[in-house]
Structure formats: C-alpha cells, structure tokens
Amino acid sequence: MTIVIAGAGIGGLTTALGLYEAGIDDVRVLESVPELRPLGVGLNILPNAVRELAELELLDELLESAVPTGALEYRNRHGQLIWREPRGTAAGYRWPQLSVHRGRLQAVLARAVRRRLGPGAVVTDARVERFADRADGRVDVHVRHPEAKGRSVTTADALIGADGIRSAVRAQLYPDEGPPPWNGLVVWRGTTLAPPFLDGRTMIIAGDDRRRAVVYPMSEPEGGAGGPVLMNWAVARAADPDAVFEAADWNRPVPPDSFLHHFADLAFAWLDIPALVRSAQESYVYPMVDRDPLPRWTHGAVTLLGDAAHAMYPMGSNGATQSIVDARVLARELALADTPAAALSAYEAERLPALTRVQASARRRGPEVVIDLAHERAPEGFADPAEVFGTGELESVSAEFARIGGFDPETVNTRPSLAAASAIGGRR
C-alpha cells in the first residue's frame, strides 16, 4: 500500500510514524519548502496526544527539549488569580502535558520518520497542487517542485491532505469555500529568553474581554537552576478598523513596538509581560482565523487531517494535539480496513463529529471564557474569586471542555490504545 501525505507538519509526520508502526512503510511525506527549518513558536501538547507520542517511543527525546507543564492559571487584567488547575501528571494523567517549540517538535518527528522509513520518506521542494481519481480506485497526485522548476505525478492508494489551513487538497474538494474566515482578532506571538516566573512550570492566560496574553516556558533553565528559559508568549486584541490581512501566515514578522502599547498595563509583580515582549528574539502577527466545519473530510481515496480538516482558534491547546490523535486513528484504520477508502471513511466517522464539537467550543473561547466572565462581573478586580463565581462554576467550565475534547483524565488513562496492533487484538 502506497500512502502520500501532503505536508510535513506535526500531523503529517505523526501520520507517517503511525503508518510505520502499523506495518505500512511505503509512505512519502511531501513538503513544499526546500528545507525543513525550526520555524514557529510554542505549542502545548495535551496528555491525550503525548500518550500517542509516548507509544511511538518519542517521549524521552521530546523531554530533552520540552517542559512538562505543571499548572494552568487564568488571571484577570490586574493579574489576580481567577482559577488554577493542575496539568499533566499533576492532574492525575499517566502522561505529561508538554510545552515545546513547534520547530523542535517537528525536528524530533522528522528525524524519527527518516530513521524508520528511510531518508527519502520526507520529500522537500514538493508542493501538492492537485489530485486526480483513477478508475482503479487509486489517486494520481500532481506535484510542483518550485526550486527545481519542475513537476511530477505520484500514484498512491491514498492521499492524506495534512497541508494546513490553506490546504490545496481541501481547496480541490471544496473549491467554492474561499479564504479562512477571520473573527476580527489579531494575535502577536513570539519567543523570549527570560528568567522563569512563578514555579517555572506554569502556563498563564491573563486579560479581560478585549485583550488576552498567554505565556509559558518551553525549556529548562540554561546553565542550571535560576538561568533563563525559552518563553513562549502570545497577545491578542480586536484589530483596528483599517487592518487588512491578505493571508493567514504565522511567519509575518513585526517589531514589538508596533503593538506593545495595547498591552502596556499587563505588567504584574510576578511577570512583566510588556518587558518580556520587548525583549523578544522574534515576533510575528497573525489574524485569528479558523475553518468552518465540513460535512465530509473523505472523498474516495482522499482525506483531510489536522488543520486542513478542522483548523480552529488557539483556545485550549487543541490544534497540534488533535492533529496527533487524528494521525494515530487514521494509521490504525489503514492497517485494519479491507480497502484504503473504507479506512478513510472509518477514520472520518470517528474523528469528524468530535472535532466539529471542539471547533464550536473554540469559537466560544473554550475554557478562556472564565476571563470574560470575570471582567463582566468584576471589571475592577476582586479579593477572592468566590466573590465572582458560584461554587463549582469554574470547575465545571474546565471539565466540560476536557470532556468535549476527549482529554479528561479518566478517558485518556483508561481508553484502549490507538495503536493498530492493540486494535487488531480487540476486534477479533
């Protein structure tokens, strides 16, 4: 069985590794850039996805360049604590939550793909432009090679479109869809080498109903305890009325001084967010866009995965997390089903309804809605969150989001493995 994957991002590379584990090794990952480089900023990978990476025997290597997140705190614009919850193993999961630079995670995955599937498994300078169904049920994948200034055609038993929010595969399946819809918010993101804050394992989300800041560490201290760590930060607000964005591109650099005045008062005794941003190694601007849910991902021997299937707002750390779970389910089904088309349909049946719910929750701000509620009820702050929230209200918001995403501790710890070998035994 020959599988072609469009896109060497987190979802595409994890799919290749899952296929290898399932006994499918004729896999090619086609990536448009001429060279994979450690681009991007931070990601949080939730325990349900870290479990999958652990089962792919990657956790030890990832822990060398990631931080196990110990807690998540929501705070108001005055820096006052609204809600704190343990994360990862501190919350009872068998696997940690990981904060990691996207480029480092991608590098770990790419190295593993090349080790296990061979150095030619990841093909760069190969942009999937379109596909054509064949009478025998297979698919011809038409590829452009920008640097080499050429084109080629590859025939596959299945094509997986893991080529991101501006997916060429999705565009062919839904040619009238248009660009990703924008909700009017702008996000600035970057990384800074800075001293750790709080306990060095905490992720914070702070702000009000108009502005939001997310900060978390992604590395261990350089030079030992007390040294600087690589910090991920993101700040967001409503765009100015005349703002125009022609494309959703995370790699559009901007100087911090061009936006920092909007967040100048988010300086707390325990973390000076403006100072952190001002010292950034890199900073990028991005319109907060997503994709509308689709009625179908799968069409014959072609399906979508990750952001190509269900791009969502960055609420609740679900982007890369859900792409990893997608990859494992798809690999399992390709190992078990009688035909590739049947496998892709089974994958869609399991994943599409769940991800449609997660997308809808992200559009409602997911668990970050507690910051909106805190501002609405106590814009000048409070001495105790019990003055603002009813008994159990905050716990229920968090628990409901975990339930929708399928990453509550009981589900993650007790569900059967998504590995193909485990599923074969369970289905006999």
Side-chain angles (χ1 to χ4, degrees):
M1 184 187 300
T2 299
I3 308 296
V4 169
I5 301 168
I10 307 306
L13 293 169
T14 307
T15 302
L17 292 169
L19 290 168
Y20 175 80
E21 184 201 49
I24 301 170
D25 58 7
D26 189 357
V27 180
R28 271 160 286 178
V29 184
L30 306 184
E31 172 54 50
S32 61
V33 300
E35 178 185 1
L36 291 183
R37 293 183 293 130
L39 299 175
V41 287
L43 296 172
N44 256 262
I45 309 298
L46 299 178
N48 55 327
V50 175
R51 173 179 177 176
E52 303 312 318
L53 298 175
E55 292 186 4
L56 289 169
E57 300 182 353
L58 295 172
L59 182 54
D60 288 345
E61 187 175 358
L62 281 171
L63 286 171
E64 295 175 4
S65 55
V67 170
T69 307
L72 168 63
E73 294 186 355
Y74 297 98
R75 291 178 176 260
N76 64 10
R77 65 186 178 92
H78 307 288
Q80 297 166 327
L81 181 64
I82 300 169
W83 169 246
R84 186 181 197 274
E85 61 184 46
R87 305 293 276 190
T89 55
Y93 292 95
R94 292 173 54 196
W95 297 270
Q97 175 173 325
L98 296 182
S99 297
V100 62
H101 191 285
R102 181 192 180 278
R104 292 180 178 179
L105 172 58
Q106 184 185 31
V108 168
L109 295 172
R111 285 196 298 269
V113 170
R114 287 168 169 148
R115 283 196 307 267
R116 299 175 192 184
L117 287 153
V122 180
V123 182
T124 56
D125 188 34
R127 182 186 299 276
V128 172
E129 290 192 312
R130 62 186 180 90
F131 61 87
D133 297 325
R134 294 166 53 98
D136 62 2
R138 304 177 82 201
V139 59
D140 287 334
V141 183
H142 293 254
V143 182
R144 182 167 66 90
H145 307 278
E147 293 289 312
K149 297 181 170 57
R151 283 181 162 78
S152 63
V153 179
T154 297
T155 300
D157 293 289
L159 168 63
I160 298 144
D163 46 346
I165 193 168
R166 290 174 290 170
S167 164
V169 179
R170 177 172 175 142
Q172 182 170 336
L173 295 174
Y174 295 92
D176 299 325
E177 184 175 34
W182 179 30
N183 69 356
L185 297 178
V186 182
V187 183
W188 294 268
R189 297 188 70 175
T191 61
T192 302
L193 200 61
F197 65 93
L198 298 177
D199 63 358
R201 290 279 187 273
T202 294
M203 173 182 182
I204 67 104
I205 306 176
D208 53 31
D209 62 341
R210 298 176 298 108
R211 302 165 304 153
R212 204 63 46 93
V214 181
V215 184
Y216 53 84
M218 300 184 291
S219 73
E220 299 295 340
E222 291 191 1
V229 301
L230 185 63
M231 206 83 74
N232 180 84
W233 54 264
V235 291
R237 69 180 291 271
D240 294 331
D242 58 349
V244 176
F245 290 91
E246 296 180 357
D249 182 359
W250 269 121
N251 299 315
R252 178 180 168 187
V254 292
D257 287 343
S258 67
F259 61 88
L260 195 51
H261 57 285
H262 298 301
F263 308 95
D265 61 328
L266 298 181
F268 314 126
W270 47 273
L271 177 63
D272 188 334
I273 294 175
L276 185 73
V277 173
R278 194 173 292 111
S279 302
Q281 297 176 322
E282 54 191 348
S283 58
Y284 306 98
V285 64
Y286 186 79
M288 192 178 288
V289 296
D290 67 354
R291 282 293 191 184
D292 291 329
L294 292 175
R296 293 173 61 190
W297 296 346
T298 297
H299 298 253
V302 179
T303 198
L304 302 173
L305 182 143
D307 279 355
H310 50 70
M312 64 189 78
Y313 299 150
M315 307 287 183
S317 305
N318 261 292
T321 290
Q322 297 294 351
S323 296
I324 290 167
V325 179
D326 284 353
R328 291 283 279 166
V329 172
L330 179 55
R332 180 195 67 197
E333 296 303 330
L334 281 165
L336 297 177
D338 294 332
T339 66
L344 303 192
S345 293
Y347 151 74
E348 176 188 294
E350 178 169 337
R351 295 295 291 159
L352 187 149
L355 269 297
T356 297
R357 293 191 293 271
V358 175
Q359 283 181 285
S361 180
R363 285 185 168 180
R364 298 191 299 269
R365 293 189 184 264
E368 292 183 29
V369 71
V370 300
I371 294 178
D372 296 333
L373 294 173
H375 180 78
E376 176 186 322
R377 299 174 186 178
E380 301 307 317
F382 48 78
D384 187 324
E387 302 170 7
V388 182
F389 294 93
T391 302
E393 184 178 4
L394 293 166
E395 293 91 333
S396 66
V397 170
S398 176
E400 175 65 8
F401 187 70
R403 185 194 63 78
I404 290 172
F407 53 85
D408 58 283
E410 182 177 1
T411 297
V412 174
N413 289 344
T414 63
R415 67 161 169 76
S417 171
L418 298 180
S422 300
I424 290 170
R427 293 187 186 186
R428 284 176 175 164

